[in-house]
Amino acid sequence: MIRITLLGSGNVAQHLIKAFTKSETIEIVQVYSRKKENLASLIDFDKIVNDFEDLKEADLYIIAVSDKAIAEVSRQLPFQNQIVVHTSGAASLDVLDIKNRKGVFYPLQTFSKSKEIDFSAVPMCLEAENTFDFHVLETAAKSISNVVHAINSDQRKALHVAAVFVNNFTNYLYQIGHEICEEHQVPFEILKPLIQETAEKINTLDPIDAQTGPAKRNDLTTIEAHLDYLSNENQKNIYKIITQSIQNNGKKL
């Protein structure tokens, strides 16, 4: 049984609470939140603290806060030589205070409070300063996920940048598609099978082989017709940039 304390009450913290609560090998000792009511529906109220001095001993302390707050939270912890990790994809190991043993417990997934997640399929990217601490992280990760990787800080930075492209940027393109449909009174739902098929293709094809469309075909007539049709300058500029990048096959624009 691994005894865990979580520090944070945002999206990642809340999903981790739900996942760890279902695990038979994890005990959540406490959760730190400045506003206890934020977590009252997820865990016994007596386990929620809003003062660092009230933190009890645990095997693992997981800081699940915004990147800019990680260093300050780790600095305020009133103990030393414990395993303290953060959940960030972008922050390095070094943002954590040196008084404790440092590590990273990064779930590579997009989290929204209103959307349930199957944590067993979430890749867990782990980093630690020594073998023993890594084993603790690995055991905790495997209690909630079937996909666990050792990923160092530089690799995690690459993963995070890649994730922004495949998730955040892609979702923004969905937003643009939604806006275009709404403007012309076309149901966005018509596009959902296409979105699903596009996502499923990369299970069997490399993205470069799955690419289709007018830019891939160098269909200049269709490209110009699309640009003439778009009245929103932001949409038009994004269309131009992505089209040119596809035509150049990722080479410098």
Side-chain angles (χ1 to χ4, degrees), residues 114-150:
S114 58
K115 176 69 168 61
E116 291 299 319
I117 290 287
D118 175 11
F119 232 101
S120 66
V122 174
M124 297 299 301
C125 303
L126 311 179
E127 183 178 8
E129 295 180 302
N130 61 66
T131 302
F132 176 82
D133 290 354
F134 184 85
H135 178 68
V136 173
L137 298 185
E138 184 179 41
T139 302
K142 286 182 175 180
S143 76
I144 58 175
S145 173
N146 296 324
V147 190
V148 178
H149 298 277

Side-chain angles (χ1 to χ4, degrees), residues 34-64:
R34 285 179 296 180
K35 296 180 179 179
K36 290 187 175 185
E37 59 272 17
N38 289 351
L39 302 175
S41 64
L42 297 178
I43 195 167
D44 189 333
F45 198 76
D46 291 339
K47 290 189 174 185
I48 308 172
V49 297
N50 57 10
D51 188 333
F52 291 113
E53 296 299 327
D54 292 331
L55 291 174
K56 299 177 181 178
E57 184 176 352
D59 300 313
L60 173 61
Y61 297 84
I62 300 177
I63 299 175

Side-chain angles (χ1 to χ4, degrees), residues 158-177:
L159 269 176
H160 195 259
V161 172
V164 168
F165 274 93
V166 303
N167 172 239
N168 305 132
F169 289 172
T170 301
N171 190 73
Y172 182 66
L173 295 180
Y174 294 161
Q175 179 184 328
I176 290 177

Side-chain angles (χ1 to χ4, degrees), residues 1 4 8 12 19 23 25 50 54 77 79 81 87-88 96 108 135 141 152 163 176-177 186 197 217 228-229 244 250:
M1 184 71 72
I4 289 177
V12 175
S23 172
T25 59
N50 57 10
D54 292 331
L77 297 178
F79 47 74
N81 199 32
T87 59
S88 169
L96 294 165
L108 204 171
H135 178 68
N152 65 36
I176 290 177
V186 178
E197 175 62 18
R217 298 190 303 270
D228 288 341
Y229 187 78
Q244 188 177 352

Side-chain angles (χ1 to χ4, degrees), residues 56-108:
K56 299 177 181 178
E57 184 176 352
D59 300 313
L60 173 61
Y61 297 84
I62 300 177
I63 299 175
V65 297
S66 65
D67 288 7
K68 63 183 180 181
I70 294 171
E72 180 62 18
V73 170
S74 68
R75 185 188 66 78
Q76 293 188 66
L77 297 178
F79 47 74
Q80 57 187 1
N81 199 32
Q82 301 296 318
I83 308 176
V84 176
V85 302
H86 67 66
T87 59
S88 169
S92 76
L93 204 66
D94 296 331
V95 300
L96 294 165
D97 195 283
I98 61 172
K99 66 187 175 188
N100 285 297
R101 289 135 58 197
K102 299 181 285 187
V104 177
F105 194 83
Y106 170 47
L108 204 171

